[in-house]
Amino acid sequence: MFFSPSQPISDHHPFVTTYLYGFFANIGMRLGGNAIMGLFALIILQCCIAAIVFAAASCYLQRWDISWPIRFGILLFCALFPFIPGFFCSLAKDTLCAPWFVLFCILNAEIIRTRGQSVQSVKFSSFLFIVMIFFSLTKRTGIYISLMTLLVLLLFKFSGKIRAILSSLILLTMTIMLLIIPKAVMLALHVTPGEGNEILVAPLQQVANIAYRGAFSEGDADNLHKIFGMSSKQIKKAYNPYVADPIKSYKSTDMPTLLRVWATQGVFICWRMSGIFLLIICYHCWHAGS
């Protein structure tokens, strides 16, 4: 998209990553005549940032009185477990947002550890705000994760001043990510909006999984069509446990129907699992008594 003038840049994946990849690709082309050289430099950069962030997370655990052997073991795990370094040696929106997510977790842990006192620091609150913005810009679901986390923090027994600061951060982040970015920045850059149902990916994928396994009756055909715009046979062909795009691409999802079916199936599964656990407990009690 970046190198095709006739094709507009889409926000299907965060448009910031598209511009970032294009920027480093241009550097590679200008310096070495090869876009891969620039992208390779970006991979080296993100590997360094990831190493710094994981090291910071390991060091931060000292504030929770975690002994140094455990902290060092965690650092070794992050460095040597093959998936993690292999993950950061590739390029994806997840590799770009992961360091910001780790920093976001550290900052939230510090808020809990200090019983909210840390947010009264201008430096801390400003850094938290910057981390949330970059997390949201590199991962579309980042905005939902950030806002819901701060909303949960409001349930803690913090003072009125701390609650006011958290509420201000929520409103400021919402204003930038839900108003200024889509209505001003994306409009100025001629970025086409992506799908608006990113937050529904998990419920959509879970309901599709149930339909894929044939757990729905024929009478549920209307519900499935309202949710996905597809029949159960079409869902079985489109469903992929690793890729949600074929499932979430239908833009007229009937939200009430989706939430009702999702909640109903969730209750049913929980009820069935509780029955299994009850049988296991009864068996152990009987076995112990005999």
Side-chain angles (χ1 to χ4, degrees):
M1 289 187 290
F2 186 85
F3 290 103
S4 301
S6 60
Q7 184 179 5
I9 291 179
S10 170
D11 193 42
H12 173 72
H13 294 295
F15 72 94
V16 172
T17 61
T18 304
Y19 279 103
L20 185 66
Y21 296 156
F23 174 76
F24 276 90
N26 272 333
I27 291 177
M29 293 171 66
R30 291 181 181 181
L31 297 181
N34 190 341
I36 298 300
M37 293 179 62
L39 296 175
F40 181 77
L42 177 56
I43 288 175
I44 296 297
L45 178 61
Q46 77 174 9
C47 283
C48 293
I49 293 174
I52 292 170
V53 168
F54 281 121
S58 301
C59 292
Y60 170 74
L61 292 175
Q62 184 178 10
R63 296 193 176 187
W64 288 83
D65 297 325
I66 305 297
S67 62
W68 76 264
I70 296 178
R71 300 199 308 270
F72 186 68
I74 292 172
L75 185 61
L76 284 179
F77 176 80
C78 294
L80 301 178
F81 183 64
F83 173 80
I84 297 177
F87 175 69
F88 285 101
C89 285
S90 62
L91 276 180
K93 61 181 183 292
D94 300 289
T95 61
L96 293 175
C97 83
W100 300 108
F101 175 68
V102 174
L103 286 174
F104 181 68
C105 292
I106 294 173
L107 294 173
N108 278 277
E110 183 64 6
I111 292 173
I112 294 171
R113 190 188 69 86
T114 61
R115 300 180 184 276
Q117 297 300 317
S118 55
V119 297
Q120 298 189 67
S121 167
V122 176
K123 290 183 179 179
F124 183 93
S125 295
S126 300
F127 186 54
L128 175 61
F129 171 69
I130 292 171
V131 168
M132 287 194 297
I133 293 298
F134 277 97
F135 178 34
S136 302
L137 287 174
T138 51
K139 182 82 170 178
R140 290 188 65 192
T141 51
I143 179 64
Y144 306 119
I145 295 171
S146 300
L147 294 179
M148 286 190 287
T149 302
L150 293 191
L151 286 172
V152 170
L153 287 177
L154 289 176
L155 300 177
F156 284 67
K157 293 182 179 180
F158 295 147
S159 66
K161 182 179 180 180
I162 295 172
R163 290 171 180 264
I165 295 172
L166 291 174
S167 300
S168 300
L169 288 172
I170 292 173
L171 293 174
L172 189 57
T173 304
M174 288 179 63
T175 301
I176 291 178
M177 292 305 306
L178 302 180
L179 290 177
I180 296 177
I181 295 295
K183 302 299 182 181
V185 177
M186 288 175 56
L187 194 63
L189 295 174
H190 304 289
V191 175
T192 59
E195 293 152 357
N197 55 354
E198 287 294 322
I199 196 173
L200 301 177
V201 168
L204 284 169
Q205 196 76 333
Q206 289 170 337
V207 173
N209 177 271
I210 296 171
Y212 177 79
R213 291 187 285 107
F216 284 120
S217 64
E218 291 296 328
D220 294 313
D222 290 341
N223 288 335
L224 292 176
H225 198 276
K226 288 179 182 179
I227 295 171
F228 299 103
M230 295 182 281
S231 64
S232 58
K233 291 182 179 179
Q234 291 173 321
I235 293 173
K236 289 181 180 180
K237 291 181 179 179
Y239 175 73
N240 186 330
Y242 307 107
V243 182
D245 287 353
I247 296 301
K248 69 178 183 180
S249 59
Y250 185 60
K251 296 184 179 181
S252 300
T253 299
D254 188 327
M255 279 279 292
T257 303
L258 169 63
L259 297 178
R260 176 173 55 79
V261 173
W262 180 59
T264 302
Q265 291 297 320
V267 170
F268 173 73
I269 291 172
C270 290
W271 175 260
R272 186 170 58 182
M273 292 300 296
S274 64
I276 294 173
F277 284 125
L278 182 61
L279 288 174
I280 294 173
I281 292 172
C282 291
Y283 170 78
H284 281 287
C285 292
W286 175 80
H287 185 72
S290 61

